[in-house]
Amino acid sequence: MWVNPEEVLLAGALWVIERANPFFVLQRRKGHAGDGGGGGLAGLLVGTLDVVLDSSARVAPYRILYQTPDSLIYWAIACGGSRKEITEHWEWLEQNLLQTLSIFENENDTTTFVRGKIQGIIAEYNKINDAKDDDDTEKFKEAIIKFHRLFGMPEEEKLVNYYSCSYWKGRVPRQGWVYLSINHLCFSSFLMGREAKLVIRWVDITQLEKNATLLLPDVIQVSTRSGEHFFSVFLNINETFKLMEQLANIAMRQLLDNEGFEQDRSLPKLKRKSPKKVSALKRDLDARAKSERYRALFRLPKDEKLDGHTDCTLWTPFNKRHILGQMFVSTNYICFTSKEENLCGLIIPLREVTIVEKADSSSVLPSPLSISTRNRMTFLFANLKDRDFLVQRISDFLQQTTSRIYSDREFAGSYNSSDDEVSPRPGSLLPSSPQRSTGSDDGERPFNINGNSVPTATQTLMTMYRRRSPEEFNPKLAKEFLKEQAWKLHFAEYGQGVCMYRTEKTRELVLQGIPESMRGELWLLLSGAVNEKATHPGYYEDLVERSMGRYNLATEEIERDLHRSLPEHPAFQNEMGIAALRRVLTAYAFRNPNIGYCQAMNIVTSVLLLYAKEEEAFWLLVALCERMLPDYYNTRVVGALVDQGVFEELARDHVPQLYDCMQDLGVISTISLSWFLTLFLSVMPFESAVVVVDCFFYEGIKVIFQLALAVLDANVDKLLGCKDDGEAMTVLGRYLDSVTNKDSTLPPIPHLHSLLSDDVEPFPEVDIFRLIRTSYEKFGAIRADLIEQMRFKQRLKVIQTLEDTTKRNVVRTIVTETSFTIDELEELYSLFKAEHLTSCYWGGSSTALDRHDPSLPYLEQYRIDFEQFKGMFALLFPWACGAHSDVLAARLFQLLDDNGDSLINFREFISGLSAACHGDLTEKLKLLYRVHVLPEPSSDPDEPDSAFEATQYFFEDITPECTHGKRINSQENRNYLRLWTPESKSKSKNAKDLPKLNQGQFIELCRTMYNMFSEDPDEQELYHATAAVTSLLLEIGEVGKLFSGAPAREGGDSPTCPQGPPGGTAFPKKPAAPLALAGDPGSTARAEAEEASSPGGPMEDIKLEEDPAACSAMLISDDDTKDDSSMSSYSVLSAGSHEDDKLHCEDVGEDTVLVRGPQGSAALPGGARLDRDWAITFEQFLASLLTEPALVRYFDKPVSVMARVGGAKNGRLVGRPPASASDYDLSTLSG
């Protein structure tokens, strides 16, 4: 390619001159073996040096230099990866520039002209190819080219970054480069003439760890199912490992719920100070990771994106101090957190901001910024390093926020806001008087269901069903009153609502228990659900209306569990509470179909409804399922399993004396699911469990881990004495039942653990507040970021374990239906899944959601479309060879696609592959027959297009007239397909149930068989055998017309042949119905064929297309059989007579093959047409083929599936990396 001219001082160093003229020099890099020579030892050293130093010469070993005759300075103007590419550039220079340059007299003029010309060529190329001006450096662009060439990756595979490192194979390190792309981890090394490559899919990684060894301080260990790989000697190992973690996380998300990675173009870009040393994609990924941490820290909605952050101070009026911390600015929020943990935090939604003003700087208060909100709070920030730029960014976001009109209220959830406009003035941003506030006061708006007001829209269930006995009005109520007063004083001092200062005092009040009357409001505030509710007014009401009266699997499960949700509470002993619970759960199931409904959601939601209004409870559930407990409530409870693994690690570190005992008993896995999924609500008395929920909404999941460890720690002695898991569960169950809340003003709600019997002495009471205090004192050091690191490690393990379980279930289900062994099925499943994932990475004719639905049964979860099937057909099926391979793949895909959705699942794929590889002779021939007896795909516009139609009826050279006939409708197509579904397998085994093969279908069958043998060693013998069988079947079809009983044709213009045998037709000299020979294995089949051709034979009528423009059949000799790729070399014989529309076979040898003609009927010689009355049965096809031993041997020979799978793994698809890249480890790596 042409490159921007750059000076080269040492033109001859490490390069060899291949061509030269007075102005240009073409050079080749020493050590490049593309010309057949490696350059000896010097070449090996140069090649090694290029790899170690990441020289661009590894990518482009050829270059062209420009030099003026009187100068020693050279300019590099072009480079190339191959001799062909660089030669094209050289020839262009000789033809277009060489003579022109001789005109110039001044050396500087010559140089200026050449540089300008080359730059003009590059600019024109970029314009033609619509090249976008991206931020990637030239060095990184070279790395991208190198990555694609080294590993054969398509252009869709985006490189994120690359690092120099050593790869350890045994005790020998290989110095090279590791390339991290969106879907793969790749390593390449070239040392002393030996090249080594490694390609691993992120989805195949089971463990990713950074650890230290005795010899090396820092090593990154990458584990897959097939082995372990170690990388070390990184310049910045922390950055590399974090990027690996992030890419592996994206891959696990793909396996989990189809959220395939797409480069997020909406990530806010800083207008300056953007780093240029890394790729644009790497910067986007870094921004994504920072946004995730930002959202988790401040409990913000999932679509919020961080714009930037800066150090500053915040004036806190409650203690009259300037607190040092960081300000974060995003599209809809300004947030602050102190450097000292828990000292002060602040969240300011831009929807609440009224004024942003730059105050006057002073020595005491440098670069101050004042922000005022609707609730009359003012926040003063100072020590801002780049205040003007920051104010401009806030101004931009504020104008977007206040001018946005939320009118769209579709199901996907849209925003709604005021028509406020920002009127900027010098130094401040002041909105005009608001017409409508979208603040927390908007939440009071009641909603209606079918025009009727719903009580739970304005009141909480706890308010409506609160029972208070007169004798209870004592110290408990007084204490509750004091708690309420404490919170009111806190609001007065620190602010109320979403803009409240969050301090250590806030945390203390939460740990003491939130008052019953304030619980719903504070849950909404602390969880961040208040923000989503404020920005989505009317969303819940609309969702309820849309979901009412609709039924699916989720709604059935909801109905089943409604009456199991807190049945002991009076609020759920009547229809009002049950109806509210039904609406919230159903609305959420329709909002998030990936989750739908999961057991335990009903228990949590019923508690939310007790303390929050119905719409508030919905948004609390959204925050819980989508942000605070990610992946907990999907079909496989992945999040809970991940946290179970985290809990095991924490138990090992913090209660080591108990860990081994708990592992032996298997208790941790049992308790963690029931404790975590319901936040202790199902295992503790209600009044105590809600205090846990209070702390959870403030601190997040760390509270649950702390509390679980505290429960184990309090029962160490008893658990160590347990003999089995039942005894251990009894101990823990009795302990949790004894946890009480003495401050609760609620009447006691009956709650007994299922394992607690009446005759056992009650466990000593445990105060919930004391238990929580103990958990903070002993295990408070557990940090949220540590939990996230542990979650990543466990997520890899859990998801890969689930994938292995799925594979085992699939294999166990299908192994009895096929002839494949378990090992073969497991390998085929891995290959099938890899093909599905590859199509998700690099596109396909259907979306990832269409191809993978986790809610389907195991066998139907992964599905591939025709493009993927075509690739697998070429790799695995024994009949895939020759130019006809794609056509046969299209026919087979149509046959296997039972439900007509243009996708096939693993079971359907295996059914076809099993018959082709491991079936007996009859099964293989039956499959071949069935593939060709299928009708044409329907052209009905109401029916979905199938991949079969994309082949344009197989051949590009068929004229449109051939394909515009009357098509068999889709219902008939389904009837054909239904013959071969697994349910009717036994029926389809009877060959007499198969439809007859008409002449057009027979032509295609002959063509398939000819191409099938094109790469076989016995090609000539097989071809002659095929020609003999074809001739025999032609005779059988002609004779069969005599006895078919078809009605005489009406009218003289019909293209069908007459009922009688053609008088002047000379058939090849073979008997029409060969006699059955004694002892011949095919004698029975031949007898059937004879019977079928006799007057008394069971010949059935077959309804063919009445298409006057049907394509013709041509009789073709095999004079040039060796050239299987070009049909033009065949001798075309006369196919008919001018006297009548009959198919004659005059002067045709026994080895004639009947194939589809390349012309339409209008151009046929002699006007020959397809004979609609001609047909053969499967029995006739089978019996005829059995007469040729060569064909019998071909279809009888065994097929090694494992060898084909191995070839598919190690081979490369066109433009694709290895199909199972985790196993693609070149032997050169053994080093």
Side-chain angles (χ1 to χ4, degrees):
M1 64 180 179
W2 301 105
V3 297
N4 281 315
E6 294 180 355
E7 283 192 22
V8 178
L9 297 179
L10 297 173
L14 308 180
W15 293 84
V16 178
I17 295 177
E18 296 216 330
R19 294 190 189 183
N21 59 42
F23 292 98
F24 301 104
V25 178
L26 190 157
Q27 295 181 326
R28 171 180 53 81
R29 187 72 163 179
K30 288 182 180 178
H32 177 65
D35 56 348
L41 180 60
L44 293 179
L45 291 173
V46 172
T48 301
L49 194 65
D50 287 340
V51 170
V52 174
L53 299 180
D54 191 29
S55 169
S56 59
R58 280 290 289 161
V59 182
Y62 297 94
R63 71 180 183 181
I64 297 176
L65 303 181
Y66 158 75
Q67 179 206 23
T68 55
D70 300 327
S71 173
L72 296 177
I73 298 176
Y74 289 80
W75 296 82
I77 59 172
C79 64
S82 65
R83 187 182 296 277
K84 180 182 177 183
E85 180 185 0
I86 204 70
T87 301
E88 289 177 357
H89 288 15
W90 178 264
E91 291 174 350
W92 186 91
L93 289 170
E94 286 186 328
Q95 294 169 9
N96 296 277
L97 282 190
L98 206 54
Q99 292 183 351
T100 307
L101 295 181
S102 62
I103 300 172
F104 290 95
E105 297 180 357
N106 188 308
E107 175 186 319
N108 292 333
D109 291 345
T110 309
T111 304
T112 303
F113 175 79
V114 172
R115 292 179 61 186
K117 188 64 179 175
I118 299 301
Q119 289 170 349
I121 291 172
I122 294 172
E124 184 179 358
Y125 175 84
N126 290 341
K127 182 179 179 181
I128 293 173
N129 292 276
D130 194 25
K132 296 182 180 178
D133 182 22
D134 56 28
D135 294 332
D136 289 344
T137 62
E138 291 297 325
K139 189 72 174 174
F140 193 81
K141 289 177 182 176
E142 288 178 3
I144 293 173
I145 296 171
K146 185 188 301 184
F147 167 70
H148 288 290
R149 286 187 177 170
L150 280 174
F151 305 104
M153 297 289 177
E155 290 299 319
E156 294 86 354
E157 183 68 5
K158 304 297 184 184
L159 179 66
V160 181
N161 214 350
Y162 65 108
Y163 302 92
S164 174
C165 70
S166 293
Y167 172 77
W168 290 81
K169 190 70 175 179
R171 297 182 179 180
V172 182
R174 299 293 300 249
Q175 178 60 34
W177 294 82
V178 63
Y179 296 85
L180 307 180
S181 69
I182 291 302
N183 304 304
H184 298 87
L185 180 155
C186 305
F187 175 82
S188 174
S189 171
F190 181 87
L191 292 175
M192 302 305 292
R194 301 190 66 185
E195 188 173 33
K197 295 179 186 177
L198 175 72
V199 180
I200 303 173
R201 291 180 191 266
W202 292 115
V203 292
D204 292 328
I205 291 178
T206 57
Q207 192 173 1
L208 184 64
E209 286 186 316
K210 183 182 69 174
N211 46 40
T213 65
L214 195 60
L215 298 175
L216 296 165
D218 287 310
V219 174
I220 293 178
Q221 177 184 343
V222 180
S223 301
T224 66
R225 292 178 180 85
S226 58
E228 296 179 341
H229 308 277
F230 297 90
F231 301 90
S232 65
V233 199
F234 288 92
L235 186 63
N236 189 341
I237 192 168
N238 290 327
E239 177 192 333
T240 310
F241 185 69
K242 282 182 180 177
L243 181 57
M244 285 182 171
E245 277 191 327
Q246 191 176 8
L247 292 170
N249 242 332
I250 291 169
M252 292 306 105
R253 178 62 55 187
Q254 290 172 340
L255 286 178
L256 188 60
D257 56 11
N258 283 326
E259 290 185 8
F261 176 78
E262 294 178 3
Q263 187 173 349
D264 198 339
R265 296 295 178 188
S266 61
L267 283 171
K269 302 287 192 299
L270 289 178
K271 294 183 179 177
R272 58 178 176 172
K273 296 184 178 180
S274 181
K276 295 285 185 180
K277 294 182 180 179
V278 296
S279 70
L281 186 54
K282 172 70 164 60
R283 293 198 296 275
D284 283 355
L285 282 170
D286 289 343
R288 175 181 294 227
K290 289 178 180 177
S291 292
E292 287 174 357
R293 289 194 293 270
Y294 167 66
R295 291 193 295 266
L297 181 61
F298 297 105
R299 308 277 170 77
L300 299 178
K302 288 182 71 176
D303 56 352
E304 193 63 21
K305 296 178 178 63
L306 178 65
D307 185 68
H309 58 87
T310 182
D311 291 337
C312 67
T313 59
L314 172 66
W315 170 255
T316 50
F318 50 86
N319 60 0
K320 307 296 191 291
R321 287 176 56 192
H322 290 282
I323 296 179
L324 182 63
Q326 278 192 319
M327 173 194 282
F328 299 83
V329 178
S330 62
T331 46
N332 296 294
Y333 297 88
I334 300 170
C335 301
F336 175 87
T337 184
S338 58
K339 293 283 187 183
E340 185 181 340
E341 193 174 8
N342 295 324
L343 186 60
C344 183
L346 189 62
I347 301 171
I348 309 172
L350 292 182
R351 66 178 184 272
E352 297 289 330
V353 173
T354 55
I355 299 175
V356 177
E357 192 169 16
K358 292 186 287 188
D360 295 331
S361 295
S362 66
S363 58
V364 180
L365 206 62
S367 301
L369 179 66
S370 171
I371 299 177
S372 301
T373 61
R374 297 182 193 277
N375 59 354
R376 297 184 177 82
M377 292 183 72
T378 300
F379 305 96
L380 186 62
F381 299 92
N383 291 284
L384 293 162
K385 293 180 181 177
D386 202 346
R387 183 176 63 167
D388 293 341
F389 176 65
L390 180 66
V391 168
Q392 183 58 46
R393 295 301 285 166
I394 295 175
S395 171
D396 293 343
F397 292 136
L398 193 58
Q399 289 187 15
Q400 294 172 16
T401 303
T402 53
S403 63
R404 193 178 297 130
I405 301 174
Y406 308 116
S407 57
D408 184 13
R409 291 169 63 176
E410 292 298 323
F411 170 74
S414 310
Y415 295 89
N416 215 336
S417 96
S418 62
D419 296 328
D420 301 346
E421 291 192 9
V422 174
S423 303
R425 69 183 187 200
S428 72
L429 304 170
L430 178 63
S432 58
S433 57
Q435 299 176 6
R436 175 183 169 194
S437 170
T438 58
S440 56
D441 56 336
D442 192 48
E444 299 300 325
R445 180 184 57 81
F447 66 90
N448 300 320
I449 303 296
N450 293 335
N452 301 318
S453 178
V454 177
T456 49
T458 55
Q459 295 184 72
T460 66
L461 288 174
M462 188 63 78
T463 306
M464 290 186 273
Y465 291 95
R466 183 162 189 144
R467 297 179 301 175
R468 182 175 293 167
S469 305
E471 61 271 19
E472 282 188 300
F473 192 82
N474 297 342
K476 289 185 178 180
L477 285 180
K479 198 162 186 177
E480 184 78 1
F481 176 76
L482 290 175
K483 283 184 181 180
E484 292 177 2
Q485 292 304 309
W487 274 100
K488 288 177 181 177
L489 290 173
H490 183 78
F491 292 149
E493 188 175 359
Y494 296 91
Q496 185 171 6
V498 71
C499 298
M500 172 180 73
Y501 291 99
R502 298 157 197 248
T503 66
E504 189 67 34
K505 179 70 173 174
T506 315
R507 179 181 175 185
E508 284 295 319
L509 288 175
V510 171
L511 294 183
Q512 292 170 13
I514 297 175
E516 298 281 335
S517 59
M518 296 182 174
R519 189 160 268 143
E521 175 192 348
L522 285 170
W523 281 359
L524 208 66
L525 183 67
L526 299 175
S527 66
V530 63
N531 294 313
E532 286 158 311
K533 178 177 178 293
T535 52
H536 294 74
Y539 174 83
Y540 174 69
E541 179 182 355
D542 187 45
L543 202 58
V544 169
E545 290 177 357
R546 288 171 178 268
S547 61
M548 283 182 65
R550 296 176 61 181
Y551 298 97
N552 55 26
L553 183 62
T555 57
E556 290 178 13
E557 293 177 345
I558 289 169
E559 289 297 327
R560 189 172 61 243
D561 286 350
L562 283 176
H563 295 278
R564 305 176 189 170
S565 310
L566 288 187
E568 64 274 9
H569 198 284
F572 297 100
Q573 294 170 356
N574 61 79
E575 186 52 36
M576 183 186 295
I578 294 293
L581 183 60
R582 177 187 293 112
R583 285 192 295 271
V584 172
L585 290 174
T586 305
Y588 186 78
F590 277 86
R591 167 190 166 85
N592 192 342
N594 284 338
I595 291 178
Y597 171 77
C598 174
Q599 284 188 340
M601 284 174 68
N602 59 320
I603 297 173
V604 174
T605 307
S606 59
V607 175
L608 298 178
L609 277 168
L610 288 175
Y611 291 103
K613 304 183 185 89
E614 191 172 317
E615 185 177 3
E616 293 172 346
F618 170 79
W619 288 113
L620 282 169
L621 183 63
V622 169
L624 203 69
C625 295
E626 297 176 12
R627 289 191 287 108
M628 302 189 74
L629 294 176
D631 304 322
Y632 259 59
Y633 299 107
N634 58 25
T635 52
R636 299 189 284 183
V637 292
V638 171
L641 293 172
V642 168
D643 281 351
Q644 173 185 308
V646 173
F647 182 53
E648 288 186 14
E649 279 197 66
L650 291 172
R652 185 185 59 207
D653 295 339
H654 292 89
V655 282
Q657 70 275 27
L658 193 59
Y659 178 74
D660 291 337
C661 171
M662 296 294 282
Q663 285 293 93
D664 293 340
L665 295 176
V667 173
I668 291 182
S669 59
T670 307
I671 61 175
S672 54
L673 282 179
S674 60
W675 293 1
F676 294 174
L677 276 171
T678 63
L679 304 175
F680 287 92
L681 287 165
S682 63
V683 293
M684 265 190 197
F686 174 77
E687 62 275 9
S688 302
V690 290
V691 179
V692 177
V693 179
D694 293 344
C695 300
F696 169 77
F697 278 127
Y698 185 79
E699 290 272 27
I701 192 64
K702 67 168 286 190
V703 172
I704 306 299
F705 285 124
Q706 289 176 189
L707 195 63
L709 289 171
V711 170
L712 292 184
D713 186 64
N715 293 276
V716 167
D717 296 335
K718 292 185 176 65
L719 290 171
L720 287 174
C722 292
K723 301 294 189 298
D724 54 39
D725 58 340
E727 189 178 351
M729 291 301 296
T730 303
V731 169
L732 293 172
R734 292 185 63 214
Y735 178 84
L736 289 170
D737 263 333
S738 69
V739 178
T740 59
N741 179 0
K742 296 180 179 178
D743 295 347
S744 175
T745 60
L746 298 175
I749 298 175
H751 181 278
L752 291 177
H753 195 272
S754 59
L755 298 175
L756 181 63
S757 55
D758 296 333
D759 57 347
V760 179
E761 182 180 348
F763 206 90
E765 289 188 352
V766 180
D767 182 59
I768 181 63
F769 298 107
R770 182 178 295 278
L771 181 61
I772 289 175
R773 289 280 178 195
T774 303
S775 74
Y776 271 91
E777 290 167 4
K778 290 189 174 183
F779 310 108
I782 298 172
R783 297 171 55 86
D785 54 351
L786 173 68
I787 291 173
E788 284 306 313
Q789 288 178 14
M790 298 169 76
R791 274 179 165 176
F792 164 73
K793 180 180 174 182
Q794 294 297 329
R795 191 176 294 118
L796 285 178
K797 190 183 299 182
V798 166
I799 293 180
Q800 296 293 14
T801 301
L802 288 172
E803 289 294 309
D804 289 342
T805 303
T806 300
K807 179 168 72 173
R808 285 194 299 271
N809 289 336
V810 167
V811 169
R812 191 164 51 243
T813 304
I814 208 172
V815 70
T816 57
E817 303 174 8
T818 73
S819 304
F820 290 118
T821 65
I822 290 178
D823 290 341
E824 287 175 335
L825 283 174
E826 287 185 349
E827 291 294 329
L828 288 168
Y829 180 82
S830 298
L831 201 61
F832 189 88
K833 188 177 99 173
E835 188 64 32
H836 158 80
L837 292 171
T838 300
S839 65
C840 291
Y841 300 155
W842 302 323
S845 58
S846 54
T847 65
L849 188 60
D850 292 333
R851 290 189 294 266
H852 181 209
D853 185 354
S855 64
L856 290 174
Y858 293 126
L859 281 165
E860 301 175 23
Q861 283 187 10
Y862 291 112
R863 293 175 288 180
I864 57 175
D865 59 21
F866 174 65
E867 287 303 315
Q868 285 80 55
F869 176 79
K870 187 167 66 174
M872 297 198 72
F873 179 85
L875 288 169
L876 298 176
F877 280 76
W879 302 338
C881 57
H884 206 60
S885 179
D886 288 356
V887 180
L888 185 59
R891 287 184 171 277
L892 183 58
F893 183 86
Q894 184 192 9
L895 174 66
L896 299 178
D897 182 17
D898 180 46
N899 57 2
D901 62 354
S902 297
L903 295 169
I904 62 171
N905 59 40
F906 185 63
R907 169 181 261 151
E908 293 166 338
F909 175 77
I910 287 297
S911 67
L913 184 62
S914 177
C917 292
H918 288 331
D920 58 25
L921 176 67
T922 306
E923 283 181 293
K924 290 178 180 178
L925 293 176
K926 189 180 296 182
L927 177 66
L928 191 63
Y929 183 91
R930 286 160 49 190
V931 162
H932 290 84
V933 81
L934 281 174
E936 298 294 337
S938 170
S939 59
D940 187 349
D942 294 332
E943 291 291 322
D945 293 337
S946 70
F948 185 74
E949 290 176 312
T951 60
Q952 298 180 353
Y953 201 62
F954 301 129
F955 299 99
E956 295 176 0
D957 55 352
I958 296 179
T959 56
E961 289 84 350
C962 297
T963 57
H964 286 317
K966 178 182 176 183
R967 301 263 184 169
I968 296 179
N969 63 35
S970 59
Q971 186 58 44
E972 287 186 59
N973 199 351
R974 291 196 191 97
N975 290 338
Y976 273 111
L977 292 171
R978 197 172 293 119
L979 288 173
W980 306 305
T981 56
E983 289 78 5
S984 58
K985 199 170 183 181
S986 59
K987 179 182 176 183
S988 65
K989 284 186 178 180
N990 185 354
K992 296 184 185 294
D993 291 330
L994 295 175
K996 293 181 182 179
L997 201 69
N998 64 33
Q999 200 171 75
Q1001 294 164 344
F1002 174 67
I1003 291 170
E1004 290 300 333
L1005 176 60
C1006 295
R1007 179 170 233 170
T1008 297
M1009 291 182 67
Y1010 171 78
N1011 283 275
M1012 189 186 297
F1013 312 135
S1014 62
E1015 297 174 14
D1016 195 276
D1018 303 323
E1019 177 185 350
Q1020 284 292 85
E1021 184 182 3
L1022 287 168
Y1023 178 69
H1024 283 283
T1026 303
V1029 169
T1030 301
S1031 300
L1032 178 58
L1033 287 171
L1034 277 171
E1035 298 172 24
I1036 292 174
E1038 290 292 336
V1039 173
K1041 289 194 299 181
L1042 292 171
F1043 312 105
S1044 63
R1049 54 180 185 163
E1050 298 176 5
D1053 57 347
S1054 172
T1056 58
C1057 296
Q1059 300 304 311
T1065 301
F1067 286 100
K1069 301 296 183 284
K1070 278 196 176 184
L1075 296 175
L1077 302 177
D1080 191 308
S1083 59
T1084 306
R1086 290 174 190 156
E1088 289 178 4
E1090 184 179 3
E1091 178 189 359
S1093 303
S1094 64
M1099 295 292 290
E1100 299 175 2
D1101 295 340
I1102 179 166
K1103 182 180 180 181
L1104 299 176
E1105 297 176 323
E1106 296 183 4
D1107 182 5
C1111 297
S1112 75
M1114 296 191 118
L1115 297 174
I1116 290 178
S1117 172
D1118 71 328
D1119 291 340
D1120 295 312
T1121 58
K1122 293 182 181 179
D1123 185 5
D1124 65 316
S1125 61
S1126 174
M1127 297 300 289
S1128 61
S1129 61
Y1130 298 155
S1131 302
V1132 180
L1133 307 181
S1134 174
S1137 167
H1138 293 281
E1139 297 177 2
D1140 52 22
D1141 293 332
K1142 293 181 285 187
L1143 187 64
H1144 292 287
C1145 300
E1146 299 175 359
D1147 303 321
V1148 178
E1150 295 180 359
D1151 54 356
T1152 299
V1153 181
L1154 193 62
V1155 300
R1156 178 182 295 277
Q1159 302 292 332
S1161 58
L1164 284 176
R1169 307 289 180 90
L1170 285 180
D1171 188 342
R1172 291 187 297 107
D1173 292 331
W1174 188 97
I1176 60 169
T1177 64
F1178 173 71
E1179 298 95 320
Q1180 293 166 343
F1181 170 67
L1182 175 63
S1184 302
L1185 192 137
L1186 287 172
T1187 63
E1188 294 294 334
L1191 290 174
V1192 172
R1193 284 195 305 271
Y1194 176 84
F1195 284 103
D1196 256 345
K1197 67 182 177 184
V1199 178
S1200 175
V1201 175
M1202 293 300 280
R1204 289 178 175 270
V1205 171
K1209 284 182 175 180
N1210 295 320
R1212 289 175 179 270
L1213 299 178
V1214 177
R1216 296 187 182 182
S1220 182
S1222 64
D1223 296 322
Y1224 175 58
D1225 187 352
L1226 294 186
S1227 59
T1228 52
L1229 275 175
S1230 60

